[in-house]
Amino acid sequence: MTIEEKPLPFKYSFLAGAIAGVSEILTMYPLDVVKTRFQIQVGNSEYSSILDCFQKMIKNEGPGSLYRGILPPILVEAPKRAIKFGANDQYKQLYSNHFGLKDGVLFSMLTGTSAGLTEATIVSFPDLIKIRMQDKRNAGLYKNTSDVVSHIYKTEGVYGFGRGIEATLWRHGLWNCGFFGCISFVRAGLPKAESHQGILLNNFIAGTIGGTIGTLLNTPFDVVKTRVQSQISAPFKYNWAIPAIGTIAKEEGFGALYKGFVPKVLRLGPGGGILLVVFDYISGYIRKNVL
């Protein structure tokens, strides 16, 4: 079963997306924490490699630090993944039925971008909470998720909850553009699967390549988003995404825009494969046994 098939009813798409999203995040989340630590640090002041970061976090903060801040992204994975796939299907119908656009790689890039922008409006606030909890500089500042929300409201006002949404729109629009565009392109080039296992393998390959390309495209905006959302007191150095990219490149070099890229691509490359495999597997099961 593939995401090009007739869309599932929303409640089943929601369920399949939820299971896929939670499966991916539970498997790959520690790499997200490591990525955030790399993106926040200036230069190589504390962590010299992925392994060094893992070792220092476990030694100094305990194994639980690798899953610090996981509650907000888990709570948002169900609607987030349902929107990622569900909105992509809806935009396919919209652009095809009302604008006469034909399926293909460019079409998939367009629908993916549209789905990504929709997804970004949902995930920006939970991501803000996650970044605040993952930042080592905030260790001991927050007791739990609700304490982060309360602290943001008291110190930054209601507008603080929207901090980083513009960079989040860039991040998700570009990632979904690369992800769905590559899935369409790679699937067309892979040998036709003759078995269920072959379908799963093709999905994993297409999803992994799609996740890798999406990560390559959106990492500079992810770095900016992390910098914007980690700021807790004025004056704020980073505000809008494009100027922030210029500031980081000027002060720290172009390579700083890909800070945390290795742990991120190690998560979102295979993570994209896991996401697509689980979503298609659950969708196929529902189509076969429920509908």
Side-chain angles (χ1 to χ4, degrees):
M1 297 297 174
T2 68
I3 58 174
E4 280 81 5
E5 292 184 288
K6 183 179 178 180
L8 291 169
F10 176 76
K11 62 181 180 180
Y12 295 120
S13 176
F14 184 94
L15 176 62
I19 294 172
V22 173
S23 298
E24 185 271 336
I25 199 168
L26 287 175
T27 304
M28 310 301 288
Y29 186 78
L31 284 166
D32 186 69
V33 178
V34 171
K35 176 213 70 174
T36 299
R37 293 292 180 94
F38 270 100
Q39 290 179 343
I40 290 173
Q41 76 173 357
V42 176
N44 295 314
S45 55
E46 188 168 4
Y47 308 116
S48 59
S49 67
I50 297 174
L51 181 60
D52 180 56
C53 186
F54 272 119
Q55 290 176 333
K56 287 182 177 177
M57 287 183 66
I58 293 172
K59 179 180 178 181
N60 300 328
E61 305 170 52
S65 64
L66 297 175
Y67 281 90
R68 182 175 294 156
I70 195 174
L71 181 60
I74 280 184
L75 292 176
V76 82
E77 283 308 308
K80 176 181 175 181
R81 299 314 190 189
I83 288 170
K84 180 185 291 294
F85 289 101
N88 185 66
D89 284 335
Q90 293 302 310
Y91 282 120
K92 280 184 176 181
Q93 296 181 56
L94 173 67
Y95 294 141
S96 177
N97 296 339
H98 295 279
F99 298 97
L101 300 182
K102 303 298 182 182
D103 196 12
V105 175
L106 292 178
F107 181 77
S108 295
M109 292 172 67
L110 175 62
T111 60
T113 300
S114 301
L117 295 177
T118 305
E119 179 187 10
T121 63
I122 304 298
V123 305
S124 181
F125 175 55
D127 263 8
L128 172 65
I129 298 174
K130 181 192 74 171
I131 293 299
R132 295 293 176 88
M133 293 187 72
Q134 287 181 350
D135 191 344
K136 185 180 179 180
R137 295 172 299 181
N138 298 333
L141 181 61
Y142 308 120
K143 298 176 182 177
N144 49 42
T145 299
S146 62
D147 192 39
V148 180
V149 175
S150 176
H151 192 274
I152 290 173
Y153 180 73
K154 289 178 181 178
T155 58
E156 302 172 53
V158 68
Y159 293 108
F161 296 133
R163 191 171 308 285
I165 190 169
E166 181 247 0
T168 306
L169 289 167
W170 279 103
R171 184 182 78 156
H172 285 268
L174 287 170
W175 196 87
N176 282 274
C177 173
F179 181 68
F180 285 107
C182 279
I183 286 173
S184 176
F185 179 79
V186 173
R187 275 177 166 165
L190 289 173
K192 182 176 177 60
E194 301 294 338
S195 65
H196 181 66
Q197 289 75 18
I199 292 173
L200 294 179
L201 178 60
N202 281 1
N203 282 341
F204 184 76
I205 292 171
T208 298
I209 295 174
T212 300
I213 296 301
T215 302
L216 202 59
L217 291 172
N218 86 337
T219 294
F221 293 95
D222 190 33
V223 172
V224 166
K225 185 194 79 70
T226 300
R227 296 285 182 94
V228 171
Q229 293 186 325
S230 66
Q231 300 172 122
I232 61 175
S233 60
F236 298 118
K237 183 176 182 179
Y238 308 107
N239 292 291
W240 299 101
I242 300 299
I245 284 177
T247 298
I248 294 171
K250 181 180 179 180
E251 295 181 355
E252 303 174 47
F254 181 80
L257 295 172
Y258 280 86
K259 187 171 289 184
F261 176 75
V262 174
K264 184 181 178 186
V265 79
L266 286 176
R267 178 197 169 185
L268 295 178
I274 293 170
L275 187 64
L276 187 58
V277 166
V278 175
F279 181 85
D280 276 8
Y281 180 82
I282 298 299
S283 297
Y285 180 86
I286 291 172
R287 287 188 177 97
K288 183 179 180 180
N289 299 283
V290 179
L291 299 182

